[in-house]
C-alpha cells in the first residue's frame, strides 16, 4: 500500500512538473507499464533537469560564440625549453603526481561498432583494442619512472556494464585493479525539433551521455577527484579513447604545462596543424578574451580559409583533445558536482525513438534529434592562462571516428604504421616505401617494447624489413 501510494505521489509530482514544461507525453504509456517499469520511468523523469533542458534548447544559435575569433597563441618550444620541460615532466612522473584520464563514454555512432569503442581492435598487426594500447603505455610509463599512474576511465550509463565486464575479463589489461577506476558520466535527454523529449520505448526516456565535458562533473560526483587528492595526484593526463597514438603522460607536455611562463598550470592543450582549411576538426582560438576550441561548424568559411603573413592558416591549430589539467583546477571547476560550470550545447544527431502517438519505433535515416552535450575544452576559458602546444601530427594523431574514409580504422592503421616506420628508420632500419612515400609493409610497435622513438634504439632490430612484410614489435 505504502509503495503504491508513493508511486502515486511520485506520479502526481512528475506529471505536474512535466506539464509545466510541455513534456507530459513522457507518461503517455503509463497505463500499459508494469510496476517495475513505472518505477524506472519515474526515476528517469525525476532526474531530468527540465529548466536547464528548456534553456539549452531555446538557445537556438548554432554558433556558440559571438565575439570575432582571434588566433590562439601556440607554443612551439625551442630545444633548451624542451629539455628543461621534459626533465620537469619526468620529475612529476617520478614523484607519482600524475594520473591518466580517458573519456570513453561516447556512443561511437559514426564508427558503428557493437560495444564500447575502447574495445575496438585498433592496432594494425595484432589488432589490440584501444584500452589495451593505453594500458600498455601506462604500464611502460610506470616501469620507466618507477611510479604508479592511476587510470580513471569515464564510461556512460549506456556502456558502463560492458566496459567493466571487459576490464574484468581482460584482467585489467595487465594493470593493478586498484589503480584502475571506471566512473560513469551523466546523461541528458534527446529532443525533437520542437524541443519535446524523446522516448526510447514506452517506459524509457531517450537519454544520451552528457558530453566529454561531463567528465569534470563525473570526477567530483564519483569520488574520483577525492581519490586523486588522497593519492597525491596533482596533474591529470587527459585523452580520448579513440586515438591510439595519444601519448599518455607525455613528460614534455607535462613539464610545459607546469613550467611554461605563459601557463597557469591549470589546463593546457595539444594541437596539430590542420591538413587543409576544410578538415573537420575543431581549432584553437581566442574568443571574447578566452582560449577555446571552435568546432568546424562554428567557423565561417572566410575565417577557416584565412591565412597569416607566414602563409599558414590563422585558425590552423587542430584540437588533438589531449589536455593536462591540474587537480586543483578541476576541483575548483566542478565543486561537489552539484553545480556545473560548463555550458551545454545542441548537436543534431540521428536518434531512434518511439512515436508517442502511434507507439511505433522509428529508426530515422537522417539526423532527427537534438543531443545536449558539454565540451571539456570549454573549461580552458576558466583557466587564468592556458597554453596550446603544437605537436607533430604523424607522431600523435590517428583517430578512429568513422567506419570509412578520413579518421577511420584504415587511416588510423596507416598512421600507426607510418609512425612505427619513422621510429624504425630513426633507429637505422631500412623500411620499404611505395612510390607515394607510404610504408610498403604493416608495422606495429607496442609501448612495452618502446615508449618513444629513442627507446627503440635500445631494442635489437633487423637491418631491414621486407616489402609487404607484417611486423609487430
Ligand atoms: P566524439 O565526439 O568523437 O563522439 O567523442 P563519440 O560519441 O565517440 O562518437 P559519435 O559522435 O557518436 O560517432 C570524442 C571522445 O569523447 C568521448 C568519446 O568516448 C571519445 O573518446 N565522449 C564523448 C564521452 O566520453 N562522453 C560523451 O558524452 C561524448
Amino acid at each position: 500500500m505504502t509503495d503504491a501510494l508513493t508511486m502515486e505521489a511520485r506520479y502526481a509530482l512528475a506529471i505536474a512538473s512535466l506539464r509545466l514544461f510541455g513534456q507530459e507525453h513522457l507518461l503517455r504509456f503509463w497505463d500499459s507499464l508494469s510496476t517495475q517499469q513505472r518505477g524506472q520511468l519515474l526515476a528517469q523523469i525525476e532526474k531530468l533537469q527540465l529548466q536547464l533542458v528548456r534553456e539549452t534548447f531555446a538557445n537556438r544559435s548554432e554558433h556558440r560564440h559571438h565575439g570575432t575569433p582571434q588566433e590562439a597563441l601556440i607554443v612551439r618550444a625551442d630545444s633548451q625549453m624542451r629539455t628543461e620541460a621534459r626533465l620537469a615532466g619526468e620529475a612529476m612522473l617520478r614523484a607519482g603526481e600524475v594520473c591518466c584520464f580517458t573519456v570513453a563514454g561516447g556512443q561511437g555512432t559514426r564508427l558503428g561498432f557493437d560495444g564500447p569503442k575502447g574495445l575496438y581492435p585498433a592496432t594494425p598487426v595484432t589488432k589490440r583494442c584501444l584500452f589495451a594500447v593505453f594500458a600498455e603505455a601506462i604500464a611502460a610509463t610506470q616501469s620507466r619512472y618507477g611510479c604508479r599512474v592511476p587510470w580513471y576511465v569515464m564510461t556512460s550509463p549506456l556502456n558502463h556494464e560492458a566496459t567493466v565486464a571487459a576490464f574484468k575479463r581482460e584482467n585489467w589489461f595487465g594493470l593493478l585493479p586498484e589503480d584502475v577506476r571506471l566512473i560513469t558520466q551523466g546523461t541528458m535527454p534527446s529532443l525533437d525539433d520542437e524541443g519535446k523529449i524523446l522516448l526510447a520505448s514506452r517506459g524509457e526516456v531517450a537519454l544520451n551521455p552528457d558530453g566529454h565535458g561531463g567528465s569534470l562533473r563525473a570526477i567530483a560526483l564519483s569520488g574520483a577527484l577525492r581519490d586523486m587528492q588522497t593519492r597525491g595526484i596533482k596533474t591529470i593526463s587527459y585523452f580520448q579513447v579513440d586515438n591510439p597514438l595519444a601519448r599518455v603522460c607525455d613528460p614534455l607536455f607535462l613539464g610545459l604545462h607546469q613550467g611554461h611562463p605563459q601557463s597557469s598550470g591549470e589546463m593546457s592543450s595539444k594541437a596539430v596543424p590542420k591538413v587543409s582549411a576544410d578538415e573537420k576538426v575543431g581549432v584553437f582560438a581566442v574568443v571574447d578574451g578566452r582560449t577555446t576550441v571552435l568546432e568546424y561548424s562554428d567557423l565561417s568559411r572566410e575565417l577557416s580559409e584565412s591565412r597569416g603573413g607566414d602563409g599558414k592558416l590563422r585558425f590552423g591549430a587542430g584540437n588533438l583533445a589531449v589536455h593536462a589539467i591540474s587537480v586543483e583546477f578541476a576541483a575548483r571547476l566542478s565543486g561537489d558536482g552539484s553545480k556545473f560550470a560548463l555550458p551545454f550545447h545542441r548537436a543534431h544527431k540521428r536518434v531512434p525513438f518511439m512515436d508517442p502517438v502511434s507507439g511505433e519505433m522509428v529508426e530515422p535515416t537522417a539526423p532527427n534529434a537534438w543531443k545536449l552535450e558539454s565540451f571539456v575544452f570549454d573549461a580552458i576559458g576558466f583557466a587564468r592562462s592556458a597554453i596550446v602546444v603544437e605537436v607533430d601530427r604523424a607522431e600523435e594523431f590517428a583517430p578512429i571516428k568513422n567506419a570509412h574514409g578520413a579518421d577511420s580504422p584504415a587511416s588510423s592503421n596507416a598512421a600507426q604504421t607510418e609512425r612505427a616506420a619513422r621510429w624504425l628508420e630513426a633507429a637505422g632500419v631500412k623500411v620499404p616505401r611505395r612510390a607515394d612515400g607510404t610504408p610498403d609493409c604493416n608495422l606495429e610497435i607496442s609501448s612495452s617494447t618502446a615508449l618513444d622513438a629513442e627507446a627503440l634504439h635500445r631494442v635489437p632490430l633487423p637491418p631491414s624489413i621486407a616489402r609487404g612484410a607484417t611486423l609487430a614489435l
Side-chain angles (χ1 to χ4, degrees), residues 10 22 37 59 94 112 119 138 143 156 181 246 249-250 262 294 300-301 310 313 379 382 384 386 393 414 437-438:
R10 286 171 70 198
Q37 287 170 324
N59 182 14
R94 277 198 194 94
L119 297 178
I138 290 170
S143 67
S156 84
R181 193 156 165 180
C249 302
D250 176 2
Q262 272 143 331
L294 294 179
S300 68
R301 194 187 174 94
D310 55 3
L313 291 170
F382 289 94
R384 277 176 285 126
R393 187 182 182 102
T438 57

Side-chain angles (χ1 to χ4, degrees), residues 55 120 134 182 225 400 413 462:
E55 281 164 15
Y120 189 82
F134 299 129
L182 306 181
L225 202 50
I400 299 177
N413 279 357

Side-chain angles (χ1 to χ4, degrees), residues 98-116:
V98 184
C99 71
C100 281
F101 189 96
T102 308
V103 283
Q107 292 177 290
T109 30
R110 285 169 290 170
L111 181 63
F113 175 60
D114 185 21

Side-chain angles (χ1 to χ4, degrees), residues 103-111 117 154 185 209-212 238 240-242 349 371 373 401:
V103 283
Q107 292 177 290
T109 30
R110 285 169 290 170
L111 181 63
K117 211 195 245 187
M154 186 176 80
Q185 68 179 113
D210 61 0
H212 40 61
Y238 170 106
Q240 299 191 158
V241 78
D242 54 17
K349 299 273 174 91
K371 288 187 180 179
E373 296 185 327
K401 301 263 186 207

Side-chain angles (χ1 to χ4, degrees), residues 92 97-101 216 234-239 247-259 263-270 284 319 321-330 376 379-380 383 385-389:
M92 291 162 76
E97 290 173 7
V98 184
C99 71
C100 281
F101 189 96
L216 288 167
K234 298 208 172 84
T235 308
I236 302 168
S237 169
Y238 170 106
F239 53 94
R247 283 210 58 185
V248 314
C249 302
D250 176 2
L252 170 61
F253 180 52
L254 290 169
L256 287 170
H257 162 74
Q258 195 184 52
S263 170
S264 62
E266 291 177 326
M267 182 157 178
S268 306
S269 311
K270 281 190 179 184
F284 288 96
N319 177 24
V322 170
H323 305 281
I325 304 170
S326 90
V327 170
E328 217 181 288
F329 177 64
V376 75
I380 304 171
S385 61
I387 56 165
V388 178
V389 180

